[in-house]
Amino acid sequence: MTQMLAARAGDITPAMRRVAEKENVTPEFVRQGVAEGTIVIPANVNHKNLDPTGFGKGLRTKVNANIGTSTSFPDIAKELEKLQVVLESGADAVMDLSTGGEIDRGRRRIIEESALPVGTVPIYQAFLENREKRGSMIAMSAEDLFEVIERHCADGVDFITVHCGITLEVLKRIKNQSRITDIVSRGGSFLTGWMLHHGKENPLYEQYDRLLEICLKYDVTLSLGDGLRPGCLADATDRAQIQELIILGELVDRARARGVQAMVEGPGHVPLDQIAANIQVQKTLCKGAPFYVLGPLVTDIAPGYDHITAAIGGAVAAAAGADFLCYVTPAEHLGLPTLEDVREGIMASRIAAHAADIVKGVPGALEWDKQMSTARKALDWDKQIALAIDPRKAAKFRQERNPEGHEACTMCGDFCAMKIVGQYLGKEPETC
């Protein structure tokens, strides 16, 4: 029985209880959200060491980190090192987007070593295997694709990105749209090439019921991918993007009818003033399904700093109702991220998520800031570092840039505003 079917039967599962404990809400609140589909708990029955996490309405905004090999860098060991950084940096989920090396072995190692929910994009492997076996990615058949999907699910993957909303009708829209960047989704481009070459409908759309059966078997959550997400500001919120979203909303209904959990992925590159509208449209068309957004990136001109452009958009998106932020690293658009890029991307997204949680009134969010303010007033550096979203970096800066035993920081030195005012007001720092 899936988490959704159990919730509808009135059962509170151990996963629901664990999510409630982590979120400081009642188990019944979680059960009701899962039953309605506004909360998902990706929890494959074969992921044995999973610490369940909830995504959706009324819960803390979550952050995903992508790792994975490429054809240029196929070393699994490097990606397992990144997984450790993901775990240490406080991400809430990890996706294996591998396209090189021993993909099956790498995925199984990641699932084995991760207590976080693990996601994948099975179509990557399906196309790559056909290139290796038959010399062409477009030689893939629907059977090939569904075999790889079931392989991922059997291994214990908790959620899968599937680009079910790209149909032949939608592709007509993009042809007439005159986009600058056309399709920037890797999975979306693979499927589009296959569909146009064969003149056939998207098998993920045409055989959607088959996909649901696989998800039911393993309790895998669908992450309905945005294959036509905008790759630049000029392409944002166009007809192709919205038509795909309409189809995804219909597919959410069909998943819920079968008891399969589903969330929906979103843009992309979006101007700041369009982000809230994008969230509202998604929430309406998809009937409150959890929204998983990449960024959104609010400008196209910042390679090397796209973790910042994404964090700006992510904060606005989450405050408007997005539930799950996919991190963007400084290396986005430039190359495969390093260990430090992964850490920086996670921290930027976590800051955005927390800023939004304050707006949403998530339990404990504002209290965290109040505790930091009290520690700052008291010049309690140990507590400030402990409360920091990235204690490692805070401790490093404090140690490297201040003399040992120096009470104030070197930014103000002897002219620490809080210390001076506290003395004149008769409020010593340690009493604040």
Side-chain angles (χ1 to χ4, degrees), residues 166-391:
I166 301 177
T167 65
L168 291 172
E169 182 63 29
V170 171
L171 290 182
K172 291 180 183 177
R173 291 282 192 284
I174 201 164
K175 283 182 179 180
N176 297 329
Q177 189 69 41
S178 299
R179 277 185 166 189
I180 292 176
T181 55
D182 296 320
I183 296 175
V184 297
S185 160
R186 193 160 45 187
S189 68
F190 288 172
L191 265 177
T192 297
W194 186 92
M195 292 164 66
L196 294 177
H197 176 80
H198 294 284
K200 292 182 179 180
E201 187 55 273
N202 179 355
L204 293 172
Y205 178 77
E206 195 169 49
Q207 300 185 45
Y208 188 65
D209 287 336
R210 182 178 180 182
L211 180 63
L212 294 179
E213 285 298 325
I214 296 173
C215 292
L216 276 169
K217 183 177 179 181
Y218 302 98
D219 196 4
V220 170
T221 298
L222 286 177
S223 188
L224 296 170
D226 53 339
L228 301 183
R229 66 176 179 267
C232 67
L233 299 190
D235 294 341
T237 326
D238 65 1
R239 293 189 293 272
Q241 177 196 332
I242 299 302
Q243 186 179 6
E244 181 187 30
L245 185 58
I246 291 170
I247 292 171
L248 296 184
E250 295 167 351
L251 296 179
V252 167
D253 288 345
R254 289 173 61 184
R256 288 174 175 174
R258 296 296 300 278
V260 172
Q261 300 183 98
M263 55 187 171
V264 177
E265 298 184 13
H269 291 238
V270 181
L272 205 58
D273 62 342
Q274 294 183 26
I275 292 174
N278 270 259
I279 306 302
Q280 291 164 5
V281 168
Q282 184 276 342
K283 287 292 184 179
T284 299
L285 294 177
C286 301
K287 298 181 181 176
F291 201 16
Y292 175 23
V293 298
L294 178 66
L297 285 76
V298 296
T299 180
D300 302 330
I301 64 165
Y305 297 92
D306 277 327
H307 59 312
I308 297 174
T309 66
I312 293 168
V316 176
D323 308 282
F324 189 17
L325 305 181
C326 186
Y327 88 158
V328 172
T329 76
E332 183 80 6
H333 302 112
L334 298 171
L336 203 66
T338 64
L339 296 177
E340 193 57 30
D341 291 335
V342 169
R343 184 182 295 277
E344 289 291 309
I346 291 170
M347 292 306 172
S349 288
R350 286 187 62 203
I351 292 166
H354 177 69
D357 286 347
I358 294 170
V359 176
K360 291 177 176 178
V362 170
L366 185 58
E367 181 58 29
W368 186 2
D369 286 70
K370 288 181 178 177
Q371 290 175 15
M372 176 63 88
S373 298
T374 301
R376 232 170 231 156
K377 175 61 178 174
L379 299 179
D380 186 339
W381 296 104
D382 289 341
K383 191 168 185 180
Q384 288 181 61
I385 290 167
L387 287 167
I389 201 164
D390 186 355

Side-chain angles (χ1 to χ4, degrees), residues 69-88:
T69 60
S70 70
T71 52
S72 300
F73 294 95
D75 188 357
I76 295 167
K78 293 291 185 185
E79 301 313 304
L80 292 173
E81 288 181 38
K82 290 178 186 176
L83 174 61
Q84 294 310 309
V85 173
V86 171
L87 298 175
E88 293 164 7

